[in-house]
Amino acid sequence: MSSAIPEVTHGAVGDRSVPAPPEAGHSPPPPWANTPAYRVYSVLAALAGAASLALTVRFPGQVLPTSTVYVAGCVVVLVVVTTLILRGVRVPGTLVGDLPEALLTTPLLAVAPHWGYVVATVAVTLWTCLRWRLTPLDTTFNVGIAAISSAAATGAYHLTGGAAPHQMAWPVVVAALAGVLTQYALSEVAVWIGCVLDGKREHAPTLTSSVTRVVPQLMAIGLASCSVALGAQGTPLGALLGHALLAIVLVHLSVQGRSANQRWIAEQLYTASERLRSQTEVDDVPHVLAEELATLWQTHDWVVTEQPSRGQEAYRIGEDQYIALAPGRAVLPGPTRQASAALVDTAAEVRRSLEFERELRWRATRDALTGLGNRHRLWDALDERLPAAGRGAPLVLMSLDLDTFKAINDTYGHTVGDHLLVAVARRLTEHCAPEDVLARMAGDEFVILSDAAEPGEAVRRAQVLQHAISEPFTLDQNVVNVTCSIGVHHVCQPTTRANALSAADAALTRAKKSGRGTVTMATQEIVLEARRLLRLDAELRAAMHHGEFTLHYQPIVDAASGEAFAVEALLRWEREGVVQMSPGEFVPYAEESGLISTIGLWVMRRACLQVNAWNRANRPDRPLRVTVNISTVHIAQPTFVDDVRQILEDIGFPPELLILEVTETFATLDLAASVCIGTALSEVGVSLWLDDFGTGYSSLEYLRQLPVEVVKLDRSFLTDISTDPGARRFIASIVQLCRSIGREPLAEGVEQEQQRQVLLDLGCSAMQGYLFARPVPVEHLVDAVRPLPPQARDADGGRTA
């Protein structure tokens, strides 16, 4: 049996599949090229092998005299072991390796004709190549080298004195040793030349591997010599004992090898499992698994493929994806398959874990609805790129918001709204560069981070996006048109993430205030205004917390009798006796920020508490009514009526004494809804007054439908009423109109006696203004509601609150 076979198998054997692509940090199996030089070399080896066989047939040589039974037994052992050794045992890196070939070849070399030994060696080599499914070229090479090396072994055996027909003695052992070593050396050299010529020098035998393999051969020659000595006795018992010795040694080596192989498989499985679990990228797992499986199967021949070839060990690692290996020789299939299956299960577990981690990382930086980046993805990009914005890498940060998204949600439903957001994200992606960072912050707000050399270029890019969004969308058979507002911030110097985002948001806020479909570039004035409003929000909340809001009350009187029948609660913001800001300045912002509802409820509860206590102490029989100004934003809240009812119940304040004042914008938002709210308040017992009539988009229709009790005429109508007849006729027509639809007129801002007299003449007796009293704290309300003589009213003129 030729010693060339193992090394040829792992060196010059041709690959039957395409090697896996290289990955970072790993060396894939080399391509089995079968170069022209190697082809020529294989043909020459075959020819030389044929010549060697012919020479051994011509010179058969002398053999040791032995029995036919022993020779036949050696041939049987050779055939059986050759068949089984293809699945024998080899432990890499140890002296426990293949069954030593000298244990089988030495008896044949001593007792068989030289041509018989060469023929047996060639036959075994051919059978082995066919069982290993080697290519025809590699089979030709192996058979030729086997013939050459075995013929050389017979020559060395003859020249060193092993051919003399005598009993087994030390010259025969020395001759067998010379023959085996000659055969082994020629095989190693031939394989090394073949690997070099075929471009696979890294797989060629080395001095270390050759020495490691020759040590077991030397030990086997001694044991085989003992077997030959027993068989040379010429008796059946000697032949039987010689065969028994071979069998015992072979079984012992097989058991020892299997035990060592199992320990090695367990150690390799542990090492491979730890390596797989140490991987951090999903895509690296298949390659690492393939390498570890190749180590288990002791082969360099593996590939990731969709269709494994016949005879390969295949392990599924994905949908229609397998790792296919051509097993090396001397591998235990049972334990190796079990270990490989366990390793594949470990790889699948690791892969699932890494995919889950990757999914978590993806979700941590991606918006679940649109697939765009989320705020964390944007923040990471800003933190990375903003520090370099002032070194020749200017950026543009665009904050985009859909103008009518809420209306679309309310009209078509949230499903269509979600589809719209996905479609907008897709359209934005189509009009953004691949290196741009596109993120959905929340709701219908998107942010784009990209490169822009000049502010003008940034604005042009924003206009392109705006035009793209304005194109109609077809969603669930609905054609939806939407516009967007964009705030643009050009970053030309290093800044922080918070400053960049706040500048873009400030520009977006200004764009939305300027109208729909507007692009606004962030300026210092816009940013400062946004910061001022932000500070105002914090100050308003602090004012609520620290009790800096107070209420003053201005009487509303019957001008004919001079008696007050109601007071208006007016909000004041004072800190240590100093007025911080008038309601006209902070109320609009409180409406935008949503804080107005909290402030409105506080004013209502405070006014009811104070007026209720004042009425009990001063006018239990003729209690004053109290009016509270309510923001349109506040009264439109779904829980507003329930909140009013709860406040009245908590305080025990009579509902008929509470008056809520609203402006004309309350009706113009949604007349039907406004009527419903007014009706609900009437059912509670609370009256509704219309404040500042004539300053907005006045409509007789909503004035007629709204269940208001009183219409307050704005002070601007009274400016020229005492000197301008046209102004008097205008006021007269309004008073008459109110009376005709059952509404009581009330004039506010009355500051002069002449105005009072004209209004009385025109039929308007309910008045409010500095002529009668200024707004005062509740503790001074007693003096404010006391009727003043005419001369005192003339002396107390001035502007109203």
Side-chain angles (χ1 to χ4, degrees), residues 505-669:
D505 289 340
L508 175 62
T509 302
R510 180 64 63 90
K512 294 184 75 68
K513 287 182 178 180
S514 302
R516 296 176 180 176
T518 304
V519 174
T520 299
M521 174 67 74
T523 63
Q524 185 177 8
E525 181 270 331
I526 291 176
V527 174
L528 291 178
E529 175 65 14
R531 291 176 180 174
R532 187 188 71 83
L533 293 178
L534 185 62
R535 287 195 299 270
L536 178 58
D537 179 84
E539 290 177 357
L540 285 175
R541 296 181 186 278
M544 288 287 299
H545 180 72
H546 296 297
E548 296 177 357
F549 286 136
T550 59
L551 293 181
H552 286 200
Y553 298 91
Q554 186 176 31
I556 302 174
V557 303
D558 181 352
S561 63
E563 184 178 2
F565 62 89
V567 290
E568 180 178 5
L570 300 172
L571 183 62
R572 295 291 185 267
W573 180 9
E574 298 178 352
R575 183 180 301 161
E576 297 180 355
V578 179
V579 176
Q580 299 300 304
M581 191 179 297
S582 68
E585 293 179 283
F586 68 79
V587 166
Y589 176 74
E591 290 180 334
E592 292 182 12
S593 64
L595 192 59
I596 191 63
S597 298
T598 303
I599 295 176
L601 290 176
W602 181 87
V603 171
M604 192 185 312
R605 180 178 295 274
R606 187 72 171 177
C608 290
L609 277 171
Q610 290 185 336
V611 173
N612 193 42
W614 190 91
N615 282 335
R616 290 178 179 177
N618 298 282
R619 294 177 59 169
D621 53 340
R622 291 178 297 112
L624 289 175
R625 304 176 72 184
V626 60
T627 72
V628 177
N629 292 280
I630 297 297
S631 166
T632 301
V633 176
H634 185 191
I635 199 172
Q637 297 297 317
T639 61
F640 178 77
V641 176
D642 292 335
D643 292 339
V644 172
R645 182 185 293 109
Q646 189 63 46
I647 289 175
L648 294 174
E649 291 177 357
D650 293 345
I651 298 174
F653 192 72
E656 63 274 9
L657 298 182
L658 178 61
I659 302 166
L660 301 181
E661 295 189 19
V662 295
T663 61
E664 296 173 357
T665 56
F666 170 59
T668 56
L669 292 177

Side-chain angles (χ1 to χ4, degrees), residues 106 109-110 153 156-157 160 162 168 171-181 221 225:
T106 299
L109 185 61
Y157 180 79
T160 52
M168 186 68 183
V172 177
V173 177
V174 172
L177 179 62
V180 171
L181 292 180
I221 290 174
S225 299

Side-chain angles (χ1 to χ4, degrees), residues 703-704 733-745:
L703 183 60
R704 182 185 66 83
S733 63
I734 294 178
V735 171
Q736 184 178 2
L737 171 64
C738 292
R739 292 281 168 71
S740 66
I741 59 175
R743 308 291 188 262
E744 184 67 26

Side-chain angles (χ1 to χ4, degrees), residues 354-437:
L354 292 176
E355 287 175 347
F356 181 69
E357 291 179 4
R358 184 166 65 178
E359 178 70 14
L360 289 180
R361 289 196 300 268
W362 188 90
R363 291 186 179 184
T365 59
R366 295 288 174 175
D367 175 58
L369 177 63
T370 63
L372 300 179
N374 60 9
R375 62 181 60 200
H376 299 290
R377 170 75 179 91
L378 177 66
W379 290 347
D380 291 342
L382 289 173
D383 291 341
E384 178 183 352
R385 300 174 66 176
L386 284 177
R391 296 194 293 270
L395 303 173
V396 58
L397 190 64
M398 291 181 281
S399 184
L400 182 150
D401 189 86
L402 303 182
D403 294 321
T404 55
F405 181 71
K406 184 179 184 303
I408 293 172
N409 256 344
D410 295 340
T411 303
Y412 298 104
H414 289 280
T415 300
V416 173
D418 289 345
H419 291 170
L420 175 61
L421 292 175
V422 173
V424 168
R426 187 181 303 114
R427 194 168 291 181
L428 289 174
T429 303
E430 292 171 354
H431 288 81
C432 288
E435 62 273 12
D436 293 348
V437 178

